[in-house]
Amino acid sequence: MAVAASGAASEPTVTTFQLNDEKTSEAELVAPADGEVIPITEVPDPVFSQKMMGDGFAVRPTSGQVVSPVSGQIISIFDTKHAIGFKLANGLEILLHMGIDTVDLGGTPFTLSVQPGDNLEAGQKLGSIDLSALQAAEKGTDLIVVITNMDQVEEFNLMRKGQATAGQNVAIAIPTKH
């Protein structure tokens, strides 16, 4: 798979994916941090484990450094910095939710180096989390990556479970053909 990007540093970057010179819209999802990759069904929050928000996976981080799980544009960052929404060139929408029940921490353990409108490559730095602060607040540290518009997904495959490094491919999503 080749990745083509265009645009000067001051312009938004447009990314298209090509396979054998034919446009394909599959999306690769990468681990947002070093740690253990688990299926979304193992996340200790029923909203995620029961796939109420969509399908995906989580990483139980061993490091507080966080990277983008996808190549796409940031469309939202919650005021509490615990969740970031992405839109991909193929139309898929991805949510990175950092920690369990972390909304009530008011953003304190999260330091972000991105803002809405930024275009990122999968594996590019987003910021960091103070994991010890989450543990002290008795909050789960799972970094959950979920596709929120599953009605547009033909196939989702979690290809890797267990230990992974930040930026390592762990899943693929193939949108429905229109």
Side-chain angles (χ1 to χ4, degrees):
M1 181 182 303
V3 178
S6 64
S10 63
E11 298 176 24
T13 301
V14 177
T15 304
T16 56
F17 297 91
Q18 295 182 341
L19 185 64
N20 299 331
D21 293 331
E22 291 182 25
K23 192 171 190 174
T24 183
S25 55
E26 68 183 32
E28 293 179 352
L29 289 81
V30 305
D34 294 343
E36 180 188 4
V37 177
I38 61 169
I40 201 165
T41 54
E42 294 180 19
V43 171
D45 181 328
V47 170
F48 294 108
S49 65
Q50 294 175 19
K51 300 183 183 179
M52 292 179 204
M53 296 206 47
D55 206 348
F57 63 94
V59 172
R60 294 196 167 134
T62 56
S63 161
Q65 297 302 311
V66 182
V67 302
S68 178
V70 292
S71 294
Q73 183 177 50
I74 294 177
I75 56 172
S76 65
I77 297 176
F78 286 61
D79 290 342
T80 51
K81 301 187 239 176
H82 76 288
I84 301 173
F86 297 87
K87 183 149 189 164
L88 281 55
N90 61 15
L92 294 184
E93 295 177 3
I94 309 294
L95 178 71
L96 171 61
H97 190 281
M98 297 182 281
I100 306 290
D101 295 328
T102 51
V103 68
D104 60 345
L105 297 178
T108 304
F110 308 103
T111 303
L112 300 179
S113 58
V114 294
Q115 59 189 355
D118 286 354
N119 289 291
L120 301 177
E121 295 297 320
Q124 190 173 340
K125 184 178 179 177
L126 287 176
S128 62
I129 302 172
D130 183 344
L131 295 176
S132 60
L134 289 184
Q135 292 163 341
E138 299 181 353
K139 303 294 184 185
T141 61
D142 291 9
L143 302 179
I144 305 151
V145 178
V146 60
I147 303 168
T148 58
N149 58 346
M150 285 299 294
D151 60 321
Q152 295 188 33
V153 176
E154 179 178 317
E155 186 177 342
F156 172 75
N157 289 312
L158 180 59
M159 302 178 303
R160 178 182 195 84
K161 296 178 197 167
Q163 292 301 308
T165 57
Q168 187 172 21
N169 287 346
V170 296
I172 191 165
I174 301 171
T176 54
K177 294 177 178 82
H178 295 281

